Amino acid sequence: MKKILSVLLVIALAAACMAGCGEKKDEPAAEANTVGTKLQAVFDSSSETDVNKMVDELIAAGEEIAELSLVPMEMVPGWLNGITVEVDNFTEGTMFSPMIGSIPFVGYVFKSDDAAALEATLTENADKAWNICTQADEMVSSVRGDLVFFVMCTNEE
C-alpha cells in the first residue's frame, strides 16, 4: 500500500510540475497611451543619434509624462537589470531608471552594429519581475538606425 501511495504521489507531483510547462501565449500589444509607448514615440520621432543625448530627451519626457525622476547610468556589456542573459552585442549603452528601486521601471538606449539582433535578445530574455518588490506591466522596444530603445514599466497613463 505504501508503494502504491508513493507512486501516486510521485505521479501527482510530476503532473503538477508539468502544468506550468504549457505553451507561452503571446502578450497583448502595448496600449497607445502608456508611459512606455509615449517614451517610444519620443524615441521614434527624435533625430538624435548620440546615446546619452537621446537618454536625456527620454528622461525629460519621463518627468513630463509620468512625473518620473529618472537617472542615467552608462552600461558595459554583461548582466543588465531585467534581462536574464548576458548582453554584449552593443558598442555603447545607457540605462535610465528611478532612484527609488521599488518603482517598476527600467529603460535602455543602446548603439549596436546589429540593432535588430540586440532588440531581439532584449525582448526574448526580458523578465518583467526582475525587481523583488514590484513587476512591470509592459515591455516596449524600438529600433531606429543603429539605436535600440527598450523599456519595461507599468502600463499606466
Side-chain angles (χ1 to χ4, degrees):
M1 186 66 166
K2 286 183 181 179
K3 288 182 182 180
I4 293 173
L5 286 175
S6 296
V7 169
L8 289 175
L9 182 60
V10 168
I11 292 171
L13 286 172
C17 289
M18 296 308 249
C21 297
E23 192 172 314
K24 207 178 205 181
K25 292 185 171 99
D26 289 338
E27 292 184 18
E31 298 192 21
N33 288 323
T34 63
V35 172
T37 56
K38 288 177 181 178
L39 290 174
Q40 179 184 18
V42 170
F43 175 81
D44 289 343
S45 65
S46 177
S47 60
E48 186 57 61
T49 58
D50 180 85
V51 169
N52 292 318
K53 289 180 182 177
M54 184 70 252
V55 168
D56 290 342
E57 283 185 32
L58 292 166
I59 288 173
E63 289 175 2
E64 184 178 316
I65 293 167
E67 298 179 5
L68 284 170
S69 206
L70 303 170
V71 293
M73 181 170 56
E74 288 189 33
M75 303 306 299
V76 295
W79 294 101
L80 307 176
N81 282 353
I83 309 300
T84 60
V85 297
E86 287 189 64
V87 179
D88 60 4
N89 53 339
F90 63 93
T91 56
E92 194 178 340
T94 299
M95 177 180 84
F96 52 105
S97 63
M99 290 178 69
I100 300 171
S102 62
I103 298 173
F105 183 101
V106 64
Y108 296 98
V109 175
F110 297 101
K111 186 171 278 203
S112 175
D113 295 333
D114 191 351
L118 176 57
E119 180 190 34
T121 297
L122 297 171
T123 58
E124 291 168 9
N125 297 289
D127 178 9
K128 289 192 262 182
W130 80 96
N131 193 335
I132 292 172
C133 302
T134 60
Q135 179 172 331
D137 298 318
E138 73 173 341
M139 172 178 46
V140 181
S141 64
S142 187
V143 173
R144 184 172 46 82
D146 61 354
L147 294 182
V148 177
F149 164 84
F150 179 82
V151 68
M152 289 189 289
C153 61
T154 62
N155 61 5
E156 297 172 3
E157 291 186 25

